[in-house]
Structures are given as C-alpha cells and as structure tokens.
Amino acid sequence: MLGVFAAACAALSAIAVAARALPSAWQALPFVPILVSATPWFALLAVIALMGAIASRRFLVALVAVAAFAVNVWWQYPFFHPTTALTPAADAAVGQAHAVTGDAYARVMTCNVYKGHADARAIVDTVRDERVEVLALQETTDAFVSALEEAGIGDYLPYAKVSSSDGVYGNGLWSASPLISPSDDDVNSSASFMPGGTVAFAGGVKVRFVSVHTTAPVPGYWGRWRRSLDELAAMRAHTDTRYVFMGDFNATYDHAPFRGFLGDRFRDAARMGGHGFTFTWPADRGLLPPVFAGIDHVVVDRDVAAGRTETVRIPGTDHRALLATLGVA
C-alpha cells in the first residue's frame, strides 16, 4: 500500500510538472490553470513520493519523484535568489517617518479589495505604516472609495484615478505625487478598465503605473483568462513609456500566459527580490486551504529595480496585499 501511495504521489507530481511545461494555448484548457497555480506545492508531494518509494523499494517511482522535484526546484529557485539588489539608499528613502516624493525610490502596494469588502481603515493604516507612495486597488466600489476617503487616504495619497467598465466594480490608483495624464484604461482590456497614471521621479524620470485586473480562470472563462493576459502582453510594444503594472493578474509565474506577458522586457518584482514566495490568495478561508497562489504581482519595466516584496493581511478580502520597494534609474 505504501508503494501504491508513493506511485500515486509521484504520478501527480509528474502531471503537475507536465502541466506547467505546457505552452500558453494548452494551459488555457479547462482546469489546467488551477492545477498550474499550485505548482510549487507539488515539490512537497514529490518529496513524500520519494520517501514512500525508498521505504517500499520502488526505485522507478523514486526516479520519477526525484525528476519532478528537481525540475520544480529549478523553476522556483529564482524566488529565493535575488537578481538585483536595491542600494542602502533605497531602504533609507522608504524608511523615513513619512513618504518622501521626488527621489528615485518608492514603496508601492497593490490589493484586490474583494468587491469593496476589504477594511478601508486597514488599507490606510498599511499605507501610512509602510510609507506607500503608489497604491493600486482592484474590485473597488463607490461605497468602498468613500470609506477609503473617510479613513483618510487623502492625507497620504491625495491624487487618485478610479475607473469602472461596468459601473459597479472598478480599479484604481492612488499616489503621493501628482498623476500625470491619468486615463480610465491604459490596456484596452476585455476584462476590466485598467487605469493608468504617470509619476515623476528624481531627475525627471517618469514611470507609468497601471492598476491591473484580468479575467479569473473559472469554468466558462478559460479562454477569456488567456485573452486578458495576451492583451497585457501587447503593452510590450509601447517602448516609449516606462511601466509598472500592479494588481490581480489571476495568474502565477508558473502560468505560460503570464510569462508571455513578461517576455524579455518586464520582470516580476517578487522574483527579482529573491525573498521567497509571495502567495496572496486565498486569504480568507482559515488554514484550509492555505494561501497557496501568488496571483497578485508588481511587474516592472527595464531600468526599474525591485526588492523588499512582502504580503500583508487585510481583513475583509480574499487577497493579501502585496508591497514592494522600487528604485528608478
């Protein structure tokens, strides 16, 4: 029985590895996105399979488990090995008593507020405590925006742009610095309006921030999920603008459409920082299931360094907030 159990675990690990290796079009097949979102956890299943295989002397099963584990570690290792390092000046700049605008650094934050159910006061408190200079929120409502204003968001981030494609749920940007040329939708997405605004940094360097919310990979929407990520990928053609995309991408780094969006231009801040996984969903279901998928991201353009990525629990929402420190060259 132990050998059968080990074989089953090894087979599941191998299937997960195969799903992660599928091209973008095949990952949009029904339920494949959900399987791929749990890719890192299958490394643990491979370890269990290996121990069971050794104990039951199933050497072929052990070989499959080792292979699945090795490939998964190869894919996940960059999240624990920084590729760019922020200078001490970055930590000093974002560690002041108040947010300092006009320099080359910024603390940023994104959070899906779950159809306006998130605790607005908790978000404002996090903005204050972390000295956040640019905030992106998804699934806002008019009532939630009003609650955010009543909680004092304007004291820290007085400039804002919120837009909605359906008049009910929206996405928004808040900034400590003026938002230059704000727009309702930078992406022309079929998923939702993704508002953008440009922030000026030291030396006149300008960065365009976009609040992202793609289609969720749920039954009936598999193809639309991939399409919304492909629409983001088209932004790589806008070479005259330096971007930072923040929000709920409904995809992890293991999803091929997300990596297709990044291409050879954009980079995921969590992977750059090397501080480990930044799982953000689901965050409202107790211990079972745990927060197991990193579907919220801060994605930066060339010449933008990123580090100090971390997540913060916000009551009332099924997503953890994601924070990062950016340095602009």
Side-chain angles (χ1 to χ4, degrees), residues 5-320:
F5 175 74
C9 291
L12 287 173
S13 299
I15 290 171
V17 167
R20 201 275 193 188
L22 290 174
S24 182
W26 287 23
Q27 281 198 0
L29 292 173
F31 299 101
V32 173
I34 297 174
L35 176 65
V36 174
S37 67
T39 294
W41 296 95
F42 284 97
L44 297 178
L45 194 63
V47 171
I48 294 172
L50 178 60
M51 292 188 296
I54 292 174
S56 60
R57 298 180 181 274
R58 298 291 184 95
F59 296 110
L60 181 58
V61 172
L63 182 62
V64 172
V66 168
F69 177 78
V71 171
N72 215 328
V73 168
W74 174 262
W75 285 332
Q76 310 306 329
Y77 171 73
F79 284 97
F80 299 86
H81 180 73
T83 55
T84 59
L86 290 171
T87 65
D91 288 331
V94 300
Q96 304 298 316
H98 303 283
V100 179
T101 59
D103 58 9
Y105 309 100
R107 189 73 167 151
V108 300
M109 171 178 160
T110 181
C111 184
N112 181 315
V113 299
Y114 193 32
K115 300 180 179 180
H117 290 111
D119 186 330
R121 169 59 65 183
I123 289 177
V124 172
D125 288 347
T126 303
V127 166
R128 178 199 63 211
D129 296 344
E130 293 285 342
R131 276 76 70 187
V132 170
E133 294 182 38
V134 183
L135 170 69
L137 299 178
Q138 300 82 47
E139 291 191 17
T140 62
T141 62
D142 290 343
F144 175 81
V145 172
S146 296
L148 206 61
E149 292 170 350
E150 291 176 5
I153 191 66
D155 295 337
Y156 308 99
L157 306 175
Y159 305 96
K161 180 62 178 178
V162 183
S163 60
S164 172
S165 58
D166 63 4
V168 180
Y169 302 115
N171 305 317
L173 283 172
W174 284 259
S175 174
S177 302
L179 288 173
I180 304 168
S181 302
S183 75
D184 284 330
D185 183 15
D186 265 33
V187 180
N188 192 26
S189 172
S190 59
S192 64
F193 280 177
M194 301 186 189
T198 299
V199 174
F201 288 83
V205 176
K206 295 180 180 179
V207 177
R208 186 79 176 173
F209 287 84
V210 180
S211 181
V212 172
H213 191 199
T214 63
T215 301
V218 296
Y221 291 86
W222 311 112
R224 295 185 188 183
W225 165 75
R226 180 196 167 196
R227 176 184 173 187
S228 64
L229 289 165
D230 289 345
E231 289 165 345
L232 276 172
M235 299 298 290
R236 296 202 311 269
H238 298 275
T239 55
D240 57 340
T241 303
R242 187 178 302 186
Y243 285 103
V244 171
F245 298 92
M246 307 194 300
D248 177 6
F249 289 76
N250 277 305
T252 71
Y253 191 89
D254 293 306
H255 288 107
F258 178 77
R259 298 195 305 276
F261 154 60
L262 298 178
D264 59 0
R265 176 178 175 180
F266 301 128
R267 297 177 294 172
D268 181 72
R271 204 165 185 265
M272 293 171 64
H275 301 300
F277 297 126
T278 51
F279 296 147
T280 55
W281 183 89
D284 64 340
R285 303 178 187 179
L287 296 177
L288 294 174
V291 180
F292 73 88
I295 62 175
D296 298 271
H297 303 271
V298 173
V299 173
V300 302
D301 211 328
R302 298 188 186 102
D303 300 324
V304 178
R308 284 193 61 204
T309 54
E310 60 182 307
T311 64
V312 174
R313 182 180 179 275
I314 302 294
T317 175
D318 57 344
H319 288 247
R320 283 179 174 265

